[in-house]
């Protein structure tokens, strides 16, 4: 039996972005938690968004039982911050990073930090990503998987969407949105999510 599955959306998304994945799962993961996070166009720092995620998980799934987590795009970095820095490691069985700039992205470089603090957290070499990548103790015991598009223009270059631990798999889709829309991406994602 699967534990509840937490789906964490990206920067300009809402929980609706997961509708194609939910349809693909066909009710075979009935316990879905899909919080809405206030990212405010990238002005909310990742750690602040992770605190929002923590509060919503505690409200929706109290009791400390195990969870699986899939984070899409910026949502994957937010989920990772919750797991590594805010104690989520104690609850997470499996973490799936989907098109998330875990090593930073060049598309975040031009945004001024004083306004777009969340986007600045996604820069290559940002203080947040250096902290996450320099101490992986918070991922110990968590089964980690990275899925990404090698041609992604949101996470540039695409290989930067890979966690420093676990497996990595490039999906055969050319764009960032197709990671959650194209059957060629949804099939392997659903296969992973349905694995016991």
């Amino acid at each position: 039996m699967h534990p509840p599955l937490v789906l964490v959306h990206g920067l300009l998304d809402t929980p609706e972005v997961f509708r194609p994945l939910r349809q693909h799962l066909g009710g075979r993961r009935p316990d879905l938690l899909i919080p809405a996070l206030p990212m405010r166009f990238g002005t909310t720092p990742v750690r602040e968004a992770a605190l929002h995620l923590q509060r919503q998980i505690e409200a929706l799934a109290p009791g400390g039982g195990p969870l699986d987590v899939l984070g899409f795009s910026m949502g994957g970095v937010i989920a990772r911050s919750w797991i590594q820095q805010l104690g989520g490691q104690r609850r997470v069985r499996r973490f799936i990073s989907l098109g998330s700039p875990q090593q930073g992205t060049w598309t975040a470089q031009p945004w001024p930090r004083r306004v777009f603090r969340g986007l600045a957290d996604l820069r290559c070499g940002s203080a947040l990503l250096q902290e996450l990548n320099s101490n992986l103790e918070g991922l110990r015991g968590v089964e980690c998987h990275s899925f990404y598009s090698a041609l992604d223009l949101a996470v540039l270059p695409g290989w930067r969407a890979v966690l420093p631990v676990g497996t990595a798999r490039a999906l055969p889709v050319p764009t960032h949105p197709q990671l959650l829309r194209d059957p060629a991406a949804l099939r392997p994602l659903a296969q992973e999510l349905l694995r016991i």
Side-chain angles (χ1 to χ4, degrees):
M1 177 136 174
H2 294 105
L5 171 61
V6 182
L7 301 176
V8 187
H9 64 79
L11 174 63
L12 300 177
D13 302 315
T14 69
E16 268 303 293
V17 75
F18 293 112
R19 188 189 327 172
L21 179 61
R22 290 171 53 205
Q23 291 171 341
H24 214 80
L25 290 171
R28 291 171 289 176
R29 288 293 301 254
D31 295 325
L32 294 177
L33 310 176
I34 314 177
L37 298 180
M39 297 188 199
R40 299 191 308 266
F41 301 102
T43 61
T44 303
V46 165
R47 188 176 176 90
E48 185 180 321
L51 286 166
H52 282 282
L53 176 63
Q54 180 178 46
R55 286 193 288 271
Q56 292 198 44
I57 288 173
E58 289 171 355
L60 295 169
L67 301 167
D68 288 346
V69 177
L70 181 147
F72 172 60
S73 194
M74 187 177 184
V77 180
I78 292 167
R80 182 180 174 195
S81 178
W82 170 65
I83 293 168
Q84 285 186 245
Q85 299 177 315
L86 300 173
Q89 172 198 29
R90 292 188 293 272
R91 296 197 64 178
V92 177
R93 177 186 76 140
R94 186 176 298 156
F95 174 41
I96 298 165
S97 172
L98 175 62
S100 299
Q102 304 292 357
Q103 307 299 328
T105 174
W106 292 111
T107 57
Q109 298 302 117
W111 301 98
R113 175 158 187 83
R114 68 181 178 277
V115 177
F116 296 99
R117 292 180 296 162
L119 284 175
D121 283 336
L122 305 181
R123 290 177 179 168
C124 300
S126 75
L128 172 76
L129 292 177
Q130 285 186 43
E131 184 179 341
L132 290 173
N133 288 324
S134 66
N135 182 1
L136 301 176
E137 189 62 30
L139 291 178
R140 185 182 299 277
V142 177
E143 183 185 326
C144 294
H145 304 280
S146 300
F147 290 86
Y148 66 100
S149 164
L151 302 175
D152 199 332
L153 294 179
V155 181
L156 186 67
W159 60 264
R160 297 190 76 91
V162 174
L163 290 161
V165 296
T167 67
R169 179 174 177 180
L171 297 174
V173 296
T175 70
H176 194 68
Q178 284 179 292
L179 289 167
L180 275 175
R181 293 183 191 159
D182 194 306
L186 293 172
R187 278 192 297 271
L189 281 175
Q191 183 179 21
E192 177 58 43
L193 291 171
L194 293 172
R195 189 168 57 84
I196 298 296

